[in-house]
Amino acid sequence: MKRIALMIIKNILLFPYYWWKTHYFAKHPDKYTDEEKYGFINWAVKRANKGGRVTIKAFGLSNIPEKNGFLMTPNHQGMYDCLALMECFPRPFSVVVKKEAMNYIFVKDVLGSIGAIGMDRDDVRQSLQVIRQVSGEISKGRNFLIFPEGTRNKDLNNVHEFKGGSFKCAYKAKSPILPVALIDAFKGFDSGTIEPITVEVHILPAICYEEYKDMKTPELADLVRDRIQSKIDEVLSARGE
């Protein structure tokens, strides 16, 4: 958590403003557009990343669907992942998170600002309700992020099994699926240092509904997972790692 402390210290004069503004957004979600709220979060995240000595390199931005209403499915390396995505992603998106995160101080206000939804992974009925809610939101043109691994895998740049259930909301909404490969994001908050780091975000070509509609959810999960791991392996091989 040393880097979190560094981010706060480097932005100590603005941090109270960040906190107040996100809290206000969360309490008054209908007073501002998604673009206005996300624009502020994007600005704050960029300042936090700079203060925390993190450089984000984004690739494949042209692969983002022109029309909103898609599901983003990155690998999950750690607590830092969303900050990397929020800096480089040009359009608003929300996220499905574990329900506990909705109670973390300050984090809950940021999540509330972007309309995040908490999921209780131990409650099947509640999880199904979340899937229906997310599919409905995607159908209305909102973009959502789900981590199909379910939890951060703490295994560096190796991608673990993707859970098929994570893709059910895409089937229901008949939406594009946008695979995203995160590389070295685990270094953000889980490396225990404050040395300068670079995190890479590779946005892969979207998978449209026509491509996956006849696949079973486990097959689709494996397809997306394999594409992400292949991109990570390709990048690491080019680095000589």
Side-chain angles (χ1 to χ4, degrees), residues 38-39 41-47 49 54-64 70 72 74 80-93 145 178-183 185 199-204:
Y38 185 77
I41 298 297
N42 177 268
W43 171 75
V45 165
K46 286 179 178 177
R47 292 190 64 93
N49 285 337
V54 182
T55 299
I56 307 297
K57 289 187 177 180
F59 304 86
L61 291 173
S62 62
N63 288 324
I64 299 174
F70 53 84
M72 188 172 13
Y80 181 76
D81 296 349
C82 281
L83 292 186
L85 291 164
M86 285 177 177
E87 168 161 339
C88 68
F89 218 82
R91 302 211 302 272
F93 67 88
L145 180 157
L178 192 63
V180 180
L182 296 174
I183 301 177
V199 174
E200 293 189 18
V201 178
H202 293 262
I203 301 170
L204 308 184

Side-chain angles (χ1 to χ4, degrees), residues 136-153:
E137 293 289 332
I138 292 175
S139 296
K140 294 176 184 177
R142 295 191 68 201
N143 309 316
F144 259 86
L145 180 157
I146 288 180
F147 292 108
E149 286 168 287
T151 186
R152 49 189 173 135
N153 65 41

